[in-house]
Amino acid sequence: MEMDGTEKLMSEEAALSEELGSKYLTYFTDGQLFGIPIADVVHIIGMQQITEIPEFPEYAKGIINLRGEIIPVIDVRIRLFKPVIEYSDRTCIIVTDVRGSYFGFVVEQVDGVAEIPDELITQPPRMGNDAAACYLTGVAKVKDKIVLLMDIKKLLGEQEFESLAQTAYQSEI
C-alpha cells in the first residue's frame, strides 16, 4: 500500500522529530555543561551589541535586532544566580523559539551537538527548595561528561516571559 503525499510528509516529520528528540545542543555556563533540545534552537550567533532596556531585571541584558526581529536577551549565568563575568570571544547567544517568541540566551561557550538517547537520562536530584527542578529535565552521562538537561522554556517564569515578550513586541512597533 502506497502512502499519499500528506501521509508521507507526516511520516517524514515524525521521523525528523524523533531524530531531533535525542539531539541536544550542549553549552557551558559557570563550568557546568548544560544541554537543550536541538529542536528548540533557531540560531547560534556571536556576541553583538545588546541594547539595554531600563528596569529590566539584571539577568535580562536587553534586546538585539536579528534580521529585523527584536529579541530579548537573557544571560543564563546571571539567571542561575552565578556571578557576572566579562564576555569572551567564545561567548555566544543561543536564539530559541519559546512559545512562538524568540529569546536569546547568553552562554559562555557552545560545546556541540550530542546524541543523548532516553536510556542515558536520569531524573535530576531533588534537594532543598527544588527551584532547579522547574527547568532541569534530566541528567545524562555522555562519555566522561555530566550534562544537565534544561527546558529553556521554563528558565523564565510565566510573568517574566510575558513581560519580556511584550517589551520586545513593543520595541518592534
Side-chain angles (χ1 to χ4, degrees), residues 56-173:
F56 257 26
E58 182 183 10
Y59 61 84
K61 301 309 286 182
I63 56 175
I64 59 171
N65 181 346
L66 182 63
R67 297 182 197 109
E69 288 280 335
I70 301 300
I71 300 171
V73 177
I74 308 302
D75 189 313
V76 173
R77 182 184 183 88
I78 298 170
R79 184 66 183 108
L80 297 176
F81 304 104
K82 304 295 181 181
V84 176
I85 63 168
E86 291 284 322
Y87 295 149
S88 75
D89 60 341
R90 294 187 173 269
T91 305
C92 58
I93 300 172
I94 300 171
V95 178
T96 65
D97 184 340
V98 178
R99 293 179 251 161
S101 296
Y102 291 140
F103 279 82
F105 293 90
V106 176
V107 300
E108 291 164 37
Q109 178 181 344
V110 167
D111 183 55
V113 175
E115 178 86 28
I116 306 176
D118 288 344
E119 56 270 11
L120 295 182
I121 301 172
T122 61
Q123 291 295 315
R126 306 279 183 216
M127 293 186 175
N129 66 5
D130 252 357
C134 69
Y135 58 81
L136 284 182
T137 59
V139 177
K141 185 172 183 194
V142 179
K143 297 181 183 159
D144 60 344
K145 301 176 185 175
I146 299 291
V147 182
L148 303 176
L149 302 178
M150 179 181 283
D151 182 345
I152 205 82
K153 297 174 190 89
K154 293 182 179 176
L155 191 58
L156 298 173
E158 191 65 35
Q159 265 187 320
E160 295 166 311
F161 168 78
E162 292 297 329
S163 175
L164 294 171
Q166 183 64 29
T167 300
Y169 173 74
Q170 288 174 345
S171 297
E172 288 180 346
I173 297 177

